[in-house]
């Protein structure tokens, strides 16, 4: 039997045909380019303002009902914001001298006169061994402390280091840590953008080996980023969307990676059609009609999965969903309008030096039993190896087997053994999850490299029994204040000498006490739990426990709750979309199952790398959820690219031949797309923030795993083994011939005719 060379009928939806007529028209393509040029000018100014609406405060991210959030509202009742403590640590290994102590006293008096003081300066407090001292300075930095903390801490450091010959001085505490974080992310967007563009350019140059072609997707991805940042700014400014520095950084990576991926898919299909059509506008029109559904389905699935984050309780997680969905959808719109219009306007020369020539496509199959020629539409062979030769010849340049065709033939020899072995290998990697410690990162663990606040906290831990200046705060009914104070002083981990006098705030009694462990440490978290348990022994007091450490603890627990809620929802949403797209139950179940297995393997392997290569002692509490959403949303993308092509070819050739054709036809472009997306996320590993490094590495590794192993080996092996049952219960399952073509012709008898026409 031979496979046909005739084009399948155009069953594009009317809206797709309208889009094609607009962006691929000889005159209208220039109108589209003019529109986007104006849009770029308009959105650039809005995109520049995105940093002004970022909110990185952990307290404001908590749900209103969280205990520490309620305490925070009481704390801010008499100030524009809860005080943020800066702790100055002085150290001299040989012991503090009289002159040192005089300077400390003078510094304390100077700090007490600051205009931004949010409470009483505590100290200087000497360490028991006489070699260190500390001064705690509560700062009131307004509703957005992130913008002012670097300047405030800078002036404290300058004053504290004046006349300190031989004495080491650090500024730490929450204010010092926040200042170091501010310095770490200063100029981050620009550096991140430049690194991302560099990675994309290198990969595109290697992929196309063209000095010109790479520029087009990069320009359009940049346009998509500017438009996405403008939309996100407007949503944050007028729609109460929470945007953080982290989500802004991830937006840059995602837009560039996803937009470039969509561009690669379109370029691949356009190049195929240029070999079949003399007129480039006709070629682009057909390329758009055939690639747009897969791109739309891919972007829609990713956006829907990311939008599930709107159901989160944690503010910055809830805000991340719309930010990323906007990024994906903006990339989609630009790459389906501006990019094809730009590409077709340039002509074939843009592919130089490997310009696709009309009528140059040749398809062939490898193996002793199969062969085919692309232009004649003939081929022969038996079994899977033979069928790929005939099918390859049938689709001309589309079906050239090459490297990915040979991989398909290897998988086809023993598909069941292949998918079982691959599943076992991925399951083995997933065992690394047993070392996952997603209880959150301490202040010291949140940074990479050398930071003053981290060094200062270590000095405090060595020399002082109580915490680093961040107290635990308790509010209660005023008539129960003394009972609450007495109970609080007996809790292990609370320094009873540090109990402040009870005062009234917002009609409630308010008191503070220092922790006996560094703020944000696991021991401090245990103390918060003990204090809360102790407060429940005075139920009539209606006491609530807060403070910076309690906020961090509540953030971690809310993140865990969000993870348990959202992972099943994301799974269900993606599965439902795949069912609608493929009109099958078996194929979507297998696809989502493989991506979840890939997620587990990526997380397990990443945890091992974090422990034994990066030296991280724990993971951010949001990492499992973010990684799951990214890998399910983006990993399914590549499966959609593959399986929509397989379904398209199944109508003509049967499931098993279609699987091999789909792998051969999409293997190169999907691999390139995976490398681009993995490369852009890998850029995040260069940043000094541990959580971003963890997310960047894990997503990049997971995407490579998806691209190279899951999509190239596991999914084809399952498809070959399951055969036509892949499409159950759609009638494609009943009608498709799993081993032979659905359109039959004999060699030399002319064009093929439909033996069985199966439509969606």
């Amino acid at each position: 039997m031979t496979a046909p060379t005739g084009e399948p009928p155009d069953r594009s939806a009317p809206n797709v045909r309208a889009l094609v007529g607009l962006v691929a028209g000889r005159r209208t393509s220039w109108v589209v380019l003019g529109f986007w040029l104006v849009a770029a000018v308009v959105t650039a100014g809005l995109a520049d303002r995105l940093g002004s609406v970022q909110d990185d405060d952990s307290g404001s991210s908590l749900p209103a009902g969280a205990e520490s959030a309620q305490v925070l509202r009481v704390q801010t009742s008499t100030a524009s914001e809860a005080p943020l403590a800066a702790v100055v640590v002085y150290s001299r290994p040989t012991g503090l001298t009289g002159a040192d102590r005089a300077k400390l006293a003078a510094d304390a008096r100077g700090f007490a006169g600051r205009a931004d003081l949010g409470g009483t300066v505590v100290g200087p407090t000497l360490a028991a061994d006489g070699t260190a001292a500390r001064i705690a300075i509560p700062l009131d930095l307004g509703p957005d402390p992130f913008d002012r903390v670097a300047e405030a801490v800078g002036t404290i450091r300058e004053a504290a280091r004046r006349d300190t010959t031989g004495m080491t001085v650090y500024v730490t505490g929450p204010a010092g840590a926040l200042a170091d974080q501010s310095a770490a992310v200063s100029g981050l967007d620009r550096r991140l953008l430049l690194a991302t563009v560099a990675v994309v350019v290198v990969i595109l140059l290697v992929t196309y080996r063209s000095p010109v072609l790479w520029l087009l997707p990069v320009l359009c991805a940049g346009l998509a980023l500017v438009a996405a940042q403008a939309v996100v700014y407007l949503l944050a400014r007028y729609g109460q969307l929470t945007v953080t520095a982290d989500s802004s950084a991830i937006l840059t990576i995602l837009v560039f990676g996803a937009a470039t991926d969509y561009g690669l898919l379109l370029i691949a299909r356009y190049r195929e059609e240029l070999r079949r059509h003399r007129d480039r506008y006709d070629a682009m029109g057909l390329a758009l009609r055939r690639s747009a559904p897969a791109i739309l389905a891919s972007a829609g699935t990713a956006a829907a999965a990311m939008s599930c984050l709107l159901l989160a309780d944690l503010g910055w997680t809830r805000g991340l969903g719309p930010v990323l969905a906007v990024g994906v959808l903006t990339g989609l719109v630009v790459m389906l309008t501006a990019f094809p219009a730009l590409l077709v306007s340039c002509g074939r020369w843009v592919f130089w030096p490997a310009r696709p020539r009309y009528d140059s496509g040749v398809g062939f199959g490898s193996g002793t039993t199969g062969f085919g020629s692309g232009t004649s539409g003939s081929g022969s062979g038996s079994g899977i190896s033979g069928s790929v030769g005939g099918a390859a010849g049938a689709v001309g340049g589309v079906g050239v087997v090459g490297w990915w065709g040979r991989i398909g033939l290897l998988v086809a020899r023993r598909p069941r053994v292949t998918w079982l072995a691959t599943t076992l290998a991925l399951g083995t990697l997933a065992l690394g999850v047993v070392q996952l410690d997603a209880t959150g990162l301490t202040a010291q663990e949140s940074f990479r490299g050398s930071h003053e606040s981290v060094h200062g906290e270590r000095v405090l831990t060595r020399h002082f029994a109580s915490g680093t200046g961040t107290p635990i705060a308790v509010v209660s009914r005023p008539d129960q204040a003394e009972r609450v104070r007495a109970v609080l002083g007996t809790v292990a981990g609370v320094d009873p000498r540090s109990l402040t006098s009870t005062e009234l705030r917002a009609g409630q009694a308010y008191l503070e006490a220092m922790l006996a462990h560094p703020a944000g440490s696991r021991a401090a978290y245990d103390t918060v739990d003990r204090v809360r348990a102790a407060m429940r022994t005075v139920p009539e007091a209606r006491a609530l426990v807060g403070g910076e450490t309690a906020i961090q603890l509540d953030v971690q627990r809310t993140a865990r709750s969000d993870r348990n809620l959202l992972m099943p929802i994301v799974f269900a949403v993606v599965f439902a979309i795949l069912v609608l797209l493929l009109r099958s139950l078996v194929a979507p179940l297998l696809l989502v199952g493989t991506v979840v297995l890939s997620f587990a393997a990526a997380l397990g392997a990443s945890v091992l790398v974090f422990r034994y290569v990066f030296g991280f002692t724990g993971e951010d509490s949001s990492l499992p959820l973010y990684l799951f959403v990214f890998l399910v949303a983006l990993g399914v993308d590549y499966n959609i690219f593959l399986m929509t092509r397989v379904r398209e070819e199944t109508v003509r050739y049967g499931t098993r031949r279609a699987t091999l054709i789909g792998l051969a036809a999409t293997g190169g472009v999907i691999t390139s797309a995976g490398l681009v997306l993995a490369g852009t996320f890998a850029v995040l590993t260069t940043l000094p923030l541990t959580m971003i490094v963890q997310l960047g590495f894990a997503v990049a590794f997971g995407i490579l795993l998806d691209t190279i192993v899951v999509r190239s080996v596991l999914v084809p092996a399952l498809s070959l083994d399951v055969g036509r049952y892949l499409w159950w219960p759609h009638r494609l399952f009943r009608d498709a011939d799993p081993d032979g073509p659905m359109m039959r012709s004999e060699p030399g008898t002319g064009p093929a005719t439909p033996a069985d026409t199966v439509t969606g």
Side-chain angles (χ1 to χ4, degrees):
M1 290 292 180
T2 62
T5 58
E7 297 286 354
D10 182 8
R11 299 190 182 94
S12 303
N15 55 347
V16 174
R17 290 196 294 271
L19 170 68
V20 170
L22 177 65
V23 303
R26 297 177 187 276
R27 295 182 180 85
T28 54
S29 60
W30 293 102
V31 176
V32 171
L33 290 177
F35 167 81
W36 278 111
L37 183 61
V38 174
V41 174
V42 172
T43 56
L46 297 175
D48 285 341
R49 303 179 193 174
L50 182 58
S52 66
V53 294
Q54 291 177 1
D55 181 4
D56 292 277
D57 182 54
S58 57
S60 63
S61 186
L62 282 167
E67 190 168 336
S68 57
Q70 296 180 60
V71 174
L72 182 62
R73 287 195 292 273
V74 174
Q75 289 178 305
T76 58
S77 62
T78 56
S80 57
E81 185 64 36
L84 193 67
V87 181
V88 187
V89 187
Y90 304 82
S91 174
R92 187 186 293 274
T94 58
L96 296 175
T97 66
D100 293 338
R101 299 187 185 193
K103 174 188 168 40
L104 266 59
D107 283 353
R109 290 192 296 271
F111 296 145
R114 292 182 60 91
D116 56 6
L117 201 64
T120 304
V121 173
V122 178
T125 305
L126 298 179
D129 61 6
T131 64
R134 72 179 182 191
I135 299 175
I137 311 159
L139 299 174
D140 176 11
L141 300 179
D144 194 357
F146 196 81
D147 291 339
R148 299 178 55 194
V149 69
E151 180 183 357
V153 170
T155 59
I156 292 173
R157 284 172 174 162
E158 181 181 359
R161 287 174 179 154
R162 197 175 296 126
D163 302 325
T164 55
T165 304
M167 185 166 55
T168 304
V169 178
Y170 300 106
V171 178
T172 185
L178 193 61
D180 284 344
Q181 181 183 349
S182 175
V185 301
S186 176
L188 178 65
D189 290 345
R190 186 178 302 275
R191 299 198 308 270
L192 189 62
L193 178 60
L194 291 175
T196 302
V197 171
V199 168
V200 171
V201 169
V202 169
I203 294 176
L204 291 178
L205 282 172
V206 172
T207 299
Y208 292 118
R209 293 182 286 278
S210 168
V212 181
L213 182 58
W214 64 269
L215 184 60
L216 272 61
V218 169
L219 284 176
C220 289
L223 174 61
L225 176 61
V226 171
Q229 289 175 332
V231 173
V232 170
Y233 164 75
L234 292 174
L235 290 175
R237 178 72 175 81
Y238 301 106
Q240 298 183 335
L241 175 68
T242 300
V243 182
T244 66
D246 291 349
S247 62
S248 181
I250 296 171
L251 176 67
T252 300
I253 293 295
L254 182 64
V255 171
F256 252 90
T260 305
D261 277 6
Y262 303 149
L264 287 171
L265 192 67
L266 181 59
I267 288 174
R269 204 68 190 248
Y270 179 47
R271 177 177 278 177
E272 290 178 17
E273 302 305 333
L274 283 173
R275 294 192 177 102
R276 297 177 178 179
H277 298 82
R278 195 182 305 275
D279 186 279
R280 68 178 187 269
Y281 292 95
D282 291 341
M284 176 57 76
L286 198 56
L288 260 179
R289 284 196 293 272
R290 292 189 173 171
S291 60
I295 296 175
L296 285 166
S298 170
T301 303
M306 292 167 178
S307 296
C308 292
L309 295 178
L310 279 167
L311 300 175
D313 281 333
L314 205 56
W316 56 47
T317 299
R318 188 168 58 251
L320 182 63
V323 168
L324 300 184
V326 165
V328 169
L329 295 177
T330 306
L332 167 73
V333 172
V334 171
M335 301 313 281
L336 285 184
T337 56
F339 181 61
L342 181 61
L343 192 59
V344 76
S345 298
C346 290
R348 295 176 188 260
W349 66 266
V350 79
F351 290 93
W352 184 85
R355 290 189 296 176
R357 298 190 308 276
Y358 170 64
D359 205 23
S360 62
V362 177
F364 63 91
S366 66
T368 58
T369 59
F371 68 91
S373 63
T375 56
S376 67
S378 64
S380 66
S382 60
I384 292 176
S385 295
S387 70
V388 75
V395 291
V398 178
V400 172
V401 175
W403 170 256
W404 292 106
R406 287 191 288 272
I407 289 179
L409 291 176
L410 289 174
V411 172
R413 290 176 182 174
R414 289 187 175 86
R416 186 166 300 175
V417 172
T418 300
W419 72 257
L420 285 173
T422 306
T423 301
L424 179 62
L426 293 174
T428 301
L429 286 178
L431 293 177
V433 173
V434 299
Q435 293 200 33
L436 177 69
D437 181 11
T439 55
L441 302 170
T442 66
Q444 295 185 35
E445 295 167 340
S446 297
F447 295 107
R448 296 182 69 200
S450 178
H451 296 275
E452 180 174 332
S453 61
V454 175
H455 293 304
E457 187 171 328
R458 289 171 181 160
V459 174
L460 281 175
T461 303
R462 286 198 305 268
H463 292 284
F464 293 92
S466 57
T468 61
T470 303
I472 192 168
V474 180
V475 297
S476 68
R477 289 177 52 183
D479 60 336
Q480 299 293 320
E482 289 307 314
R483 290 184 63 191
V484 168
R485 180 186 177 90
V487 171
L488 181 60
T490 65
V491 177
V494 174
D495 182 0
R497 298 169 298 176
S498 65
L499 281 168
T500 61
S501 300
T502 303
E503 58 182 295
L504 286 179
R505 288 192 183 184
Q508 291 189 292
Y510 177 89
L511 60 94
E512 294 179 346
M514 298 296 290
L515 300 174
H517 303 283
S521 66
R522 288 169 180 80
Y525 294 153
D526 291 339
T527 301
V528 171
D529 282 334
R530 286 193 294 270
V531 171
R532 285 175 170 170
M535 292 301 104
R536 287 194 288 272
T537 65
V538 193
E540 56 272 25
R542 299 176 186 172
L544 300 172
V545 179
E548 187 64 30
T549 298
I551 287 175
Q552 294 172 16
L553 179 60
D554 288 345
V555 164
Q556 291 178 16
R557 289 178 175 166
T558 306
R560 188 181 309 122
S561 174
D562 286 342
R563 181 176 70 219
N564 295 338
L565 170 69
L566 293 176
M567 280 187 175
I569 293 176
V570 171
F571 182 95
V573 167
V574 171
F575 176 75
I577 293 175
L578 288 177
V579 169
L580 294 174
L581 175 67
L582 300 176
R583 282 156 283 185
S584 161
L585 291 177
V586 175
L589 189 60
L590 291 178
L591 292 181
V592 176
T594 60
V595 173
V596 171
L597 177 62
S598 176
F599 155 74
L603 181 58
S606 297
V607 169
L608 296 178
V609 172
F610 296 157
R611 278 310 165 273
Y612 304 112
V613 178
F614 287 99
F616 299 149
T617 58
E619 285 71 47
D620 186 85
S621 52
S622 297
L623 177 66
L625 174 60
Y626 290 177
L627 181 61
F628 182 83
V629 172
F630 277 116
L631 291 189
V632 170
L634 301 177
V636 165
D637 274 9
Y638 301 132
N639 283 332
I640 287 175
F641 292 161
L642 171 63
M643 294 308 293
T644 51
R645 186 62 180 263
V646 171
R647 192 179 192 279
E648 175 186 331
E649 303 296 346
T650 295
V651 176
R652 308 172 69 201
Y653 303 110
T655 303
R656 292 195 172 99
R657 286 191 182 191
T659 298
L660 297 177
I661 294 171
L663 180 60
T666 64
V669 64
I670 293 179
T671 300
S672 298
L675 290 175
V676 167
L677 200 58
T680 54
F681 271 95
V683 171
L684 294 176
T685 62
T686 64
L687 304 185
L689 303 176
T690 303
M691 185 271 181
I692 295 296
V693 171
Q694 291 178 342
L695 182 64
F697 177 86
V699 172
F701 181 81
I703 289 172
L704 291 177
L705 204 62
D706 247 353
T707 304
I708 298 171
V709 178
V710 175
R711 188 268 314 164
S712 304
V713 179
L714 183 56
V715 171
L718 285 168
S719 300
L720 289 166
D721 194 20
V722 174
R724 64 190 178 93
Y725 294 94
L726 196 66
W727 310 114
W728 184 89
H730 189 268
R731 62 193 183 96
L732 194 61
F733 148 73
R734 298 188 300 273
D735 297 341
D737 180 351
D739 296 315
M742 296 191 63
M743 298 179 70
R744 298 181 172 87
S745 66
E746 297 299 331
T749 62
T753 57
D756 239 328
T757 302
V758 178
T759 61

